[in-house]
């Protein structure tokens, strides 16, 4: 069925004929059901998380390209993306070096000449006839003092005019699966797809001026203009929040005042351990620990969130709670989002138990362990030879039987969905639940988003901590930065260098881990060991590198953001971030949190390759080390509704919604959910039926697989 064209005359369609279809079931056909998509392409789609037509439709663009009017060559500035229109001045020259083929050309208009360069696009040379008038669109860089447009798209003039003014979706891509293929597949899916029946009550849509569902889905992919895009997005953000808040409220009902069979005593060994730690707990840590201990002894199931900025010392509070659990004859589990982090927590808990002579046995469970290793770990868990279990989400996915699972902790909660958290909670009947997060969410929002949890805040940094010293520098500063790293390494310290990419890409101009490592090895003295780490490496390999870095065998670690979450190597004092302009502020703050974790003065060097454009934003980080302040300043700078920039939080399980910029919608949703649950908690009213159905679908999708 071809969707009816929507007439937009003045007002955008809040309610329309568009969504009167009768179908509520989503299209679960594999993407191969689309024309032109075979097994090979399907495998590539799988890499970006798309298996079914339904997934494809919900794989929203990351950004939009606005094809703007061509600019005179004289007006071009470095770093920006522009279109220019003009005549090719001479035949293109083709060069080869390092397995790469380079095509060089130049174009001119009345205001000047612009160099053009393409890598590995041999078929282009034939198109580039001298004298031809063409439109080129791409990013402008400066090479040897001259402006060069790199890898521009080439259009005949009429072709460019046809797309001018429109917004083209830009999707997350993978090698071999480019934007064009994805865009075409989405268009096909939308055209052949059947309508989903609108499930939000009409009155609600009228009240908040929310687009009709099918309209919103279509226009999030293919908006004609910014107004349409914002309109579509608002509806989908509303939905994301709506079902999230609904499921949080349901969780709350389930746990409220539930009795727990695990009533734990405060053990003297825990107090003794606290007194023997190499540092004194901060007042905030003590306060939070006592809140946790009170919950554990209360006879009711604990559901608590510990919020604390990076480096505030959340781990030790969690570990003390786990130790107390173990000493009470129960099991405790710690679930973390990455294998690197799991291993690190496992090792530090094991070491702690050894150092302080605690009779507590810890096991590790991760996806990359061999079948035999897993079997052994499972046996130890089932026989209660293990008291503390540390792992990734393998803890819920794998067939693990616990003996007396009384406490479940998830670290860096923002990486797990509500469903996963619930699934782990359900593994232990009546188990206490503690979640830890570094996302600096204002209290009013936290109460909505974590409505099912009591909240404890660690709002104090360890006293011996020197604040990280920051600088934002242009790329020309690199030499100095390397000298600085060398000096720190010679003083016994270590450094991280972060690059946004794993390997060189034709399309994206940004530093990559593999090439950067080679460069650094050359630039730094031979005795300094430089290694790299990225998400595409095998887990075993990653672990080995991380362990060697933690042990001080590697001095400089060149890495993607895989080190972003939770990694703790207190001896590392330098965090150098290449292409800092490409990261969100929250992410930069997390990255910076990897240093300044020990006694030594630490430094964060943010290399800004985009110039003035990014400076103001990065200056916020330069000024402050406080996550809350950074989040609020970022919001001011961007203004609500401005989501074209980098996402601030990129967390929880929202695809589109941003808890900061969309805070207003979140609050509306919260009120509406309250009203709905009061008036019609069973979704019995005619206008709520479909909503109820949709909620069940949502819950089905968001909860992890259970093996009880
Ligand atoms: P986060 O809150 O980011 O998870 P961690 O718990 O990893 O932070 O703690 C960061 C570092 O601070 C660790 O090396 C830890 O041993 C240390 N630490 C924790 N609490 C204190 C404290 N009260 N005084 C000094 N150092 C502490
Ligand atoms: Mg942590």
């Amino acid at each position: 069925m071809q969707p009816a064209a929507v007439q937009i005359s003045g007002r955008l369609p809040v309610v329309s004929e568009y969504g009167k279809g009768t179908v509520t079931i989503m299209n679960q056909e594999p993407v191969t059901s689309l024309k032109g998509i075979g097994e090979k392409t399907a495998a590539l789609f799988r890499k970006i998380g798309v298996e079914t037509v339904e997934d494809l439709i919900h794989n929203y663009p990351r950004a939009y390209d606005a094809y703007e009017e061509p600019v005179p060559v004289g007006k071009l500035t470095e770093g920006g993306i522009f279109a220019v229109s003009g005549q090719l001045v001479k035949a293109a020259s083709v060069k080869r070096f390092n397995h790469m083929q380079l095509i060089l050309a130049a174009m001119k208009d009345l205001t000047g000449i612009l160099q053009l360069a393409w890598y590995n696009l041999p078929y282009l040379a034939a198109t580039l006839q001298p004298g031809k008038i063409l439109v080129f669109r791409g990013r402008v860089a400066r090479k040897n003092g001259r402006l060069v447009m790199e890898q521009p798209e080439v259009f005949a003039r009429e072709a460019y005019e046809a797309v001018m003014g429109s917004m083209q979706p830009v999707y997350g891509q993978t090698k071999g699966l480019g934007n064009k293929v994805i865009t075409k597949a989405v268009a096909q899916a939308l055209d052949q797809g059947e309508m989903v029946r609108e499930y939000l009550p009409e009155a609600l849509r009228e009240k908040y001026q929310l687009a009709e569902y099918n309209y919103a889905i279509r226009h999030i992919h293919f908006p004609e203009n910014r107004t349409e895009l914002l309109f579509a997005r608002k509806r989908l953000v509303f939905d994301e929040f709506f079902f999230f808040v609904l499921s949080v409220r349901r969780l709350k009902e389930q746990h409220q005042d539930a009795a727990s069979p695990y009533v734990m005593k405060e053990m003297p060994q825990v107090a003794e351990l606290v007194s023997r730690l190499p540092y004194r707990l901060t007042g905030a840590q003590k306060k939070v620990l006592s809140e946790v201990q009170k919950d554990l002894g209360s006879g009711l199931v604990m559901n608590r969130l510990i919020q604390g900025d990076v480096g505030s010392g959340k781990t030790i509070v969690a570990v003390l709670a786990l130790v107390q659990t173990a000493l009470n004859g129960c099991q405790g589990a710690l679930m973390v989002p990455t294998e690197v982090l799991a291993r690190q927590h496992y090792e530090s808990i094991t070491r702690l138990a050894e150092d302080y002579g605690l009779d507590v046995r810890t096991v590790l469970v991760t996806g990359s362990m061999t079948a035999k290793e897993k079997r052994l770990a499972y046996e130890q868990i089932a026989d209660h030879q293990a008291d503390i279990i540390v792992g990734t989400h393998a803890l819920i996915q794998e067939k693990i039987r616990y003996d007396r699972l009384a406490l479940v902790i998830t670290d860096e909660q923002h990486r797990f969905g509500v469903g996963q958290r619930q699934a782990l909670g359900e593994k232990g009947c009546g188990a206490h639940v503690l979640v830890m997060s570094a996302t600096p969410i204002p209290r009013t929002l936290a109460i909505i988003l974590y409505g099912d949890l009591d909240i404890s805040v660690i709002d104090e940094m360890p006293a011996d901590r020197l604040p990280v010293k920051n600088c934002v520098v242009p790329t020309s500063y690199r030499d100095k930065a390397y000298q600085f790293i060398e000096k720190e390494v010679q003083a016994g310290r270590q450094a991280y260098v972060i690059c946004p990419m794993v390997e060189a890409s034709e399309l994206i101009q940004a530093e990559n881990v593999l090439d950067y490592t080679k460069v650094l090895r050359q630039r730094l003295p031979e005795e300094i060991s430089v290694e790299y780490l990225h998400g595409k490496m095998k887990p075993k390999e990653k672990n080995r590198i991380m362990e060697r870095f933690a042990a001080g065998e590697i001095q400089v670690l060149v890495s993607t953001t895989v080190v972003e979450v939770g990694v703790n190597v207190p001896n590392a004092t330098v965090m150098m971030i290449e292409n800092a302009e490409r990261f969100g502020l929250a992410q930069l703050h997390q990255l910076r949190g990897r240093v300044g974790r020990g006694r030594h003065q630490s430094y964060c060097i943010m290399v800004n390759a985009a110039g003035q454009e990014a400076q103001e934003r990065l200056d916020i980080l330069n000024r402050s080390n406080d996550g809350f302040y950074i989040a609020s300043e970022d919001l001011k700078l961007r203004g609500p509704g401005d989501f074209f920039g980098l996402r601030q939080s990129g967390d929880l399980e929202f695809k589109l919604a941003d808890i900061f910029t969309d805070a207003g919608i979140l609050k509306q949703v919260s009120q509406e959910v309250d009203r709905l649950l009061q008036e019609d908690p069973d979704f019995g009213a005619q206008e709520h039926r479909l909503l109820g159905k949709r909620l069940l679908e949502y819950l089905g999708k968001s909860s992890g697989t259970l093996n009880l």
Side-chain angles (χ1 to χ4, degrees):
M1 180 168 55
Q2 193 70 17
V6 180
Q7 299 300 318
I8 303 176
S9 48
R11 248 187 71 187
L12 295 163
V14 171
V15 180
S16 77
E17 287 306 306
Y18 208 3
K20 290 274 157 72
T22 50
V23 186
T24 54
I25 311 154
M26 308 286 162
N27 188 346
Q28 296 296 351
E29 296 283 314
V31 284
T32 44
S33 68
L34 297 171
K35 264 191 284 182
I37 298 185
E39 282 305 328
K40 233 168 109 187
T41 314
L44 294 171
F45 268 111
R46 215 166 296 131
K47 276 197 182 167
I48 58 168
V50 171
E51 301 210 11
T52 63
V53 174
E54 171 76 4
D55 298 337
L56 182 67
I57 288 174
H58 293 287
N59 176 44
Y60 305 135
R62 277 195 165 165
Y64 300 85
D65 249 352
Y67 284 72
E68 283 165 11
E69 214 162 314
V71 175
V73 169
K75 289 256 164 75
L76 295 178
T77 50
E78 187 184 344
I81 291 179
F82 297 97
V84 291
S85 172
Q87 198 173 29
L88 279 168
V89 288
K90 57 175 191 294
S93 67
V94 182
K95 289 186 181 164
R96 278 197 161 277
F97 66 96
N98 287 349
H99 308 291
M100 273 225 284
Q101 189 199 50
L102 183 63
I103 300 179
L104 294 172
M107 57 81 66
K108 68 169 184 197
D109 65 9
L110 294 172
T111 61
I113 292 188
L114 177 68
Q115 307 298 316
L116 307 164
W118 291 268
Y119 307 96
N120 295 335
L121 288 175
Y123 59 85
L124 245 186
T127 320
L128 302 172
Q129 303 293 337
K132 230 185 186 170
I133 295 186
L134 293 166
V135 177
F136 303 92
R137 182 174 180 278
R139 188 177 292 279
V140 175
R142 188 176 291 280
K143 289 266 159 82
N144 306 325
R146 287 197 303 187
L147 290 182
V148 183
M149 188 176 274
E150 295 188 325
Q151 211 74 354
E153 287 177 88
V154 184
F155 297 87
R157 269 230 290 230
E158 312 74 64
Y160 193 78
E161 267 155 29
V163 293
M164 208 166 76
S166 71
M167 300 182 78
Q168 301 295 320
V170 181
Y171 296 96
Q173 296 159 39
T174 187
K175 205 169 180 181
L177 186 64
N179 202 48
K180 278 212 178 105
V181 177
I182 303 176
T183 306
K184 262 175 103 174
V186 172
Q188 199 192 138
L190 287 175
D191 283 344
Q192 73 167 43
E194 286 172 286
M195 303 271 193
V196 171
R197 197 145 126 207
E198 175 62 75
Y199 47 79
L200 280 188
E202 228 170 90
L204 194 66
R205 276 190 291 133
E206 287 279 12
K207 182 170 174 188
Y208 294 105
Q209 288 293 298
L210 300 172
E212 190 279 321
Y213 180 78
N214 297 277
Y215 174 93
I217 289 290
R218 171 166 286 270
H219 289 78
I220 196 72
H221 290 285
F222 301 112
E224 287 278 317
N225 52 49
R226 203 182 144 93
T227 314
E228 272 186 16
L229 170 60
L230 289 174
F231 186 58
R233 180 180 180 277
K234 180 174 154 200
R235 161 65 201 259
L236 297 176
V237 166
F238 194 95
D239 279 26
E240 281 188 345
F241 281 151
F242 199 82
F243 291 107
F244 183 85
V245 173
L246 259 178
S247 54
V248 165
R249 297 288 151 89
R250 274 175 51 116
L251 274 183
K252 185 190 173 98
E253 272 166 34
Q254 282 167 19
H255 334 126
Q256 198 133 51
D257 298 331
S260 171
Y262 306 110
V263 184
M264 291 189 222
K265 289 202 285 277
E266 285 186 29
M267 307 301 280
Q269 295 97 314
V270 175
E272 199 201 320
L273 177 58
V274 169
S275 70
R276 286 173 60 200
L277 286 173
Y279 48 77
R280 296 244 303 270
L281 291 186
T282 62
Q285 284 172 315
K286 280 190 206 148
K287 179 189 73 183
V288 172
L289 178 63
S290 77
E291 285 167 349
V292 170
Q293 286 179 322
K294 201 165 143 230
D295 287 354
L296 290 176
S298 71
L300 297 179
V301 173
M302 169 171 75
N303 285 290
R304 187 169 287 281
L305 165 72
I306 299 181
Q307 217 187 40
D309 209 344
V310 269
S312 61
K314 295 183 287 298
T315 315
I316 187 67
V317 176
V319 170
L320 291 168
L322 288 168
V323 168
Q324 178 170 335
T325 303
L327 294 174
N328 271 276
C330 299
Q331 290 180 319
L334 176 59
M335 181 161 83
V336 299
T338 67
E339 192 149 318
V340 165
L341 196 53
R343 200 161 281 271
Q344 186 182 299
H345 280 331
Y346 165 75
E347 270 154 24
S348 65
I349 296 172
T350 313
R351 203 167 328 118
L352 190 86
E354 262 171 34
D355 290 354
Y356 295 91
L358 295 168
D359 181 21
V360 167
R361 295 148 304 177
T362 306
V363 297
L364 178 69
V365 177
T366 66
S368 74
M369 283 170 26
T370 63
K372 196 171 149 202
E373 288 168 331
K374 279 185 196 159
R375 206 173 332 110
L376 185 66
Y378 297 168
E379 270 169 33
Q380 290 174 328
I381 297 167
D383 304 347
H384 206 143
Q385 291 171 52
D387 308 297
I388 298 178
I389 301 99
V390 182
T392 54
H393 54 273
L395 287 191
I396 46 171
Q397 286 178 342
E398 313 276 329
K399 291 196 176 60
I400 303 182
R401 255 170 218 292
Y402 294 88
D403 181 44
R404 299 190 60 196
L405 183 61
L407 172 64
V408 171
I409 304 182
T410 57
D411 191 11
E412 303 291 348
Q413 155 64 22
H414 55 291
R415 295 301 164 111
F416 293 109
V418 176
Q420 278 174 315
R421 168 166 113 216
Q422 184 180 13
L424 186 55
E426 282 167 2
K427 282 228 153 194
C429 196
H432 300 287
V433 174
L434 189 63
V435 303
M436 305 198 291
S437 167
T439 309
I441 308 176
R443 200 166 176 85
T444 48
L445 296 188
I447 289 170
I448 300 173
L449 291 167
Y450 297 111
D452 57 321
L453 304 172
D454 297 317
I455 301 175
S456 293
V457 184
I458 303 187
D459 49 6
E460 184 184 352
M461 284 288 170
D464 66 348
R465 236 10 108 58
L466 294 164
V468 175
K469 289 191 176 164
N470 303 299
C471 60
V472 181
V473 297
T475 49
S476 57
Y477 183 86
R478 280 194 189 120
D479 278 335
K480 273 201 188 133
Y482 301 154
Q483 282 163 22
F484 184 75
I485 288 175
E486 190 180 330
K487 209 181 81 200
E488 283 290 300
V489 169
Q490 266 147 13
R493 306 283 84 77
Q494 288 160 281
Y496 297 95
V497 180
I498 305 298
C499 299
M501 313 274 293
V502 175
E503 56 198 341
S505 153
E506 288 167 13
L507 297 170
I508 301 169
Q509 216 194 25
E511 297 303 322
N512 73 81
V513 165
L514 299 182
D515 291 335
Y516 209 99
T517 304
K518 285 186 204 148
V519 171
L520 268 188
R521 281 182 182 151
Q522 270 175 3
R523 300 296 287 269
L524 295 173
E526 219 171 313
E527 65 275 14
I528 296 183
S529 155
V530 181
E531 294 291 345
Y532 62 80
L533 187 72
H534 60 74
K536 290 184 181 167
M537 286 161 62
K538 293 218 173 68
K540 278 234 156 66
E541 190 64 7
K542 274 192 275 196
N543 292 333
R544 204 176 57 86
I545 294 287
M546 207 52 228
E547 267 160 29
R548 287 178 54 212
F549 186 65
E553 290 164 27
I554 294 169
Q555 279 89 40
V556 179
L557 186 64
V558 182
S559 171
T560 56
T561 54
V562 285
V563 294
E564 171 187 341
V565 182
V567 171
N568 188 38
V569 181
N571 190 48
T573 55
V574 184
M575 168 60 69
M576 177 172 179
I577 306 170
E578 284 287 351
N579 295 106
E581 76 281 358
R582 288 184 169 268
F583 297 102
L585 291 191
Q587 204 175 14
L588 290 169
H589 181 60
Q590 282 284 340
L591 284 169
R592 173 169 65 187
R594 297 313 113 218
V595 296
R597 299 174 83 84
R599 286 176 295 114
H600 307 288
Q601 176 65 55
S602 291
Y603 307 86
C604 179
I605 304 168
M606 290 170 268
V607 182
N608 173 11
Q612 205 49 40
E613 208 179 323
Q615 194 68 26
E616 196 182 344
R617 222 164 52 81
L618 295 176
D619 276 342
I620 296 172
L621 280 153
N622 205 1
R623 273 201 296 280
S624 171
N625 290 324
D626 174 351
F628 274 90
Y629 173 81
I630 290 164
S632 68
E633 284 301 294
D634 187 31
L635 191 56
K636 271 191 225 157
L637 197 62
R638 293 190 299 159
D642 176 11
F643 55 89
F644 287 100
L646 296 152
R647 277 165 62 112
Q648 155 69 28
S649 41
D651 53 16
L652 292 157
E653 55 210 86
F654 305 122
K655 282 185 171 162
L656 288 171
D658 178 310
I659 52 177
F660 293 94
T661 51
D662 300 316
I665 303 180
L666 179 57
K667 286 176 192 162
Q668 291 170 345
V669 164
S670 170
Q671 282 171 11
E672 291 303 330
V673 168
D674 280 345
R675 181 166 316 147
L676 176 69
L677 291 180
Q678 226 167 42
E679 288 172 4
D680 188 14
D682 307 319
F683 303 93
Q686 183 59 34
E687 71 268 29
H688 297 150
R689 290 255 165 86
L690 285 172
L691 200 55
K693 261 183 144 170
R694 183 85 180 116
L695 175 65
L696 290 180
E697 273 176 20
Y698 175 85
L699 290 172
K701 223 186 257 175
S702 69
S703 57
T705 5
L706 300 184
N707 298 298
L708 294 176

